[in-house]
Amino acid sequence: MPLARKSIFYNALLLTGVNLLLRFVSTSFQIYLSSRIGAEGIGLMQLVMTVGGMATVAAMAGVRTTTMYLTAEELGRGRPQNYACVLSACVSYSVAVSGAVSAALYLLAPTLAVNWVGSAETEPALRLLAVLLPMNCLCGVMVGFFTGAGKITTLAAVEVAEQACSMVCTMALLTFWAGSSRMHAVESVILGTAMGTALTLCCLCILRLRQSGGHGSREPIARRLLSTAVPLALADDLRTGISTVENLMVPKRLALYAGAISPLAAFGMVNGMVFPVLMFPMAILFGLTELLVPELARCRAAGSEQRVRYLVRKSLGIALLFGAFCAGIPYLLADFLGQRLYRSAEVGEYLRWFAPLAVMLYLDAVTDAMIKGLGQQTASVRYNIFTNSLDVALLYVLLPEFGIFGYYLSFLVTHVINFFLSLRRLLRISGVKISAKLPLACLASAAFAAYAATYATTPVMKTICYTLLLGALWYLTGVVQRQDLRWLITLMKKKGAA
């Protein structure tokens, strides 16, 4: 196997280890925070972060993905001397856009706090987010550049340092400053995260200054930047605006449900407690999704169609197997996890609802990354805008009638549609053909293994029974074959010897 073919999977394994550690720390902190400020406090924090997330997307204006994409293209075309042009143009673009968005958020913070979040006490937190926006966006540019240039080991080390710094600073602020104040707790999270981001930005800037600029003629980049970033920015802003309206609307529409007791608490349980647990294993796939965009961009720029098809097939297969395995574990352990992590039976019930959807969510994340890597960013965002708009309409109708179950139905319908559209697009542009036989065998095996494991008496035995039975069924049905195991073993041995 050529080195180029192996590198993405080795780098993905490296990022997997790092991101699994970071996700574990982040999820543990979320559990700690929920015990400190309660479900309603988590719900309030989610609303503040929703507004902050919308502002961040507007301020980022597509520049992180654009920097990654353009850098990977220059690498694929053998023009590293053009890195400086890419970085200079992207930094200038980021400073201009993020500065304008930061000023707007700062000035509008009182209005947004009252009319959007529904709490005037969130104004200082929103203004704090506004002040920190330009730094966050510049950090996104640098991370995109190093990812596109293939400096994965460097990024992994810096991300570990960033998370450690963020956690130490956040815990210090929560302990010595926040007290019992919900809003001080939110501000502590914002400030602690910002300190980690500042560390990352400084480290990456120093590392970039120490790099050689390369030799040869340089080409202007502004037109390519704008043609990539502006459509992405406009589409992302629209999509995020719709998503923000959706998140802010949910507690208000839930309050109209006849059986509603605490709509903000229910919203906080699903978004701040269930999803962090459900998506925790996604850290294992995050390395792959992070690398697929620049890798496929390089292959596309170099005209390597065979390599593109290889990556699409392998990545979809890995995501399917991993998603099917990860769907069964939280389904079987839902009650145990709800009680052990949050001391809440409701969280366990909601987790069991959403657990089977992990297969689709994980596959969709990988599919979306590959679409972007193949230059189909606009199509991807178009699908997201359509499904997010549909989600808003469904939530508006379903929440007063069905409560939190209406949220689940809307989530299911819109994510199925989005995944179908994205997968169809990916298969068409890559030329990959997939038989339905193996996916159906994979999912049927997972369903049977989960059903059989329910008869085990303890969480540990359920996990062991499910894992062993699922592995045996996959092998017997041909979902996993000997050559797949040999490929993985060979990949690890050769890379370890390199």
Side-chain angles (χ1 to χ4, degrees), residues 488-498:
L488 183 60
I489 293 172
T490 301
L491 177 66
M492 297 303 297
K493 282 184 176 179
K494 288 185 177 181
K495 198 62 188 183

Side-chain angles (χ1 to χ4, degrees), residues 60-69 140-141 143-145 147 159 286 290:
M60 195 71 73
V63 73
R64 184 182 185 278
T65 300
T66 299
T67 306
M68 184 192 307
Y69 189 78
V141 170
V143 170
F145 170 77
T147 304
E159 284 183 358
F286 179 80
E290 185 76 359

Side-chain angles (χ1 to χ4, degrees), residues 94-391:
S94 179
V95 169
V97 177
S98 64
V101 176
S102 175
L105 178 59
Y106 191 90
L107 294 174
L108 294 174
T111 302
L112 294 174
V114 174
N115 297 326
W116 284 34
V117 181
S119 175
E121 66 176 334
T122 60
E123 178 187 334
L126 294 176
R127 283 191 160 162
L128 182 60
L129 286 170
V131 171
L132 298 171
L133 265 182
M135 180 186 69
N136 293 335
C137 294
L138 285 176
C139 186
V141 170
M142 296 306 299
V143 170
F145 170 77
F146 276 83
T147 304
K151 307 294 183 180
I152 304 305
T153 304
T154 300
L155 275 180
V158 172
E159 284 183 358
V160 171
E162 175 187 349
Q163 187 67 30
C165 177
S166 295
M167 292 300 300
V168 169
C169 293
T170 301
M171 294 299 294
L173 288 168
L174 286 169
T175 302
F176 299 109
W177 178 64
S180 59
S181 170
R182 296 187 307 182
M183 287 317 305
H184 281 178
V186 173
E187 291 164 7
S188 297
V189 174
I190 296 171
L191 282 171
T193 302
M195 292 175 185
T197 301
L199 176 64
T200 295
L201 180 59
C202 290
C203 291
L204 294 182
C205 286
I206 292 171
L207 291 171
R208 172 55 192 164
L209 290 173
R210 295 176 61 183
Q211 290 179 350
S212 171
H215 303 285
S217 60
R218 297 181 178 181
E219 298 183 7
I221 210 76
R223 180 177 297 179
R224 289 167 58 200
L225 185 153
L226 293 175
S227 66
T228 303
V230 172
L232 271 178
L234 293 175
D236 282 351
D237 289 345
L238 179 58
R239 175 177 57 84
T240 306
I242 296 171
S243 179
T244 302
V245 170
E246 171 190 323
N247 286 335
L248 296 175
M249 178 186 70
V250 168
K252 297 178 181 178
R253 298 299 291 176
L254 271 176
L256 301 177
Y257 175 59
I261 299 176
S262 179
L264 191 60
F267 178 72
M269 284 181 187
V270 173
N271 284 272
M273 299 180 183
V274 171
F275 284 160
V277 174
L278 183 64
M279 301 308 291
F280 172 77
M282 185 62 199
I284 298 178
L285 279 184
F286 179 80
L288 182 62
T289 60
E290 185 76 359
L291 294 172
L292 281 172
V293 175
E295 180 71 13
L296 289 172
R298 286 192 288 267
C299 294
R300 181 170 172 265
S304 304
E305 295 182 3
Q306 183 176 356
R307 168 78 169 150
V308 168
R309 289 192 292 270
Y310 169 82
L311 287 174
V312 169
R313 284 194 296 267
K314 281 291 183 185
S315 300
L316 287 177
I318 291 171
L320 175 65
L321 293 175
F322 185 72
F325 173 75
C326 291
I329 299 299
Y331 178 83
L332 290 169
L333 306 184
D335 294 332
F336 171 77
L337 292 173
Q339 290 290 349
R340 179 58 62 91
L341 299 179
Y342 301 109
R343 298 178 182 177
S344 170
E346 282 185 277
V347 173
E349 181 183 359
Y350 296 153
L351 181 58
R352 183 173 288 109
W353 289 3
F354 285 94
L357 305 185
V359 184
M360 177 183 63
L361 295 177
Y362 290 12
L363 268 170
D364 188 50
V366 173
T367 301
D368 187 64
M370 289 191 283
I371 285 178
K372 291 177 179 176
L374 293 173
Q376 301 294 310
Q377 294 95 334
T378 303
S380 175
V381 175
R382 188 168 64 243
Y383 299 151
N384 289 332
I385 290 173
F386 168 69
T387 52
N388 282 353
S389 301
L390 178 61
D391 199 25

Side-chain angles (χ1 to χ4, degrees), residues 360 363-364 367 414-424:
M360 177 183 63
L363 268 170
D364 188 50
T367 301
T414 54
H415 280 74
V416 166
I417 293 173
N418 186 285
F419 173 62
F420 172 77
L421 292 174
S422 298
L423 182 62
R424 185 183 65 172

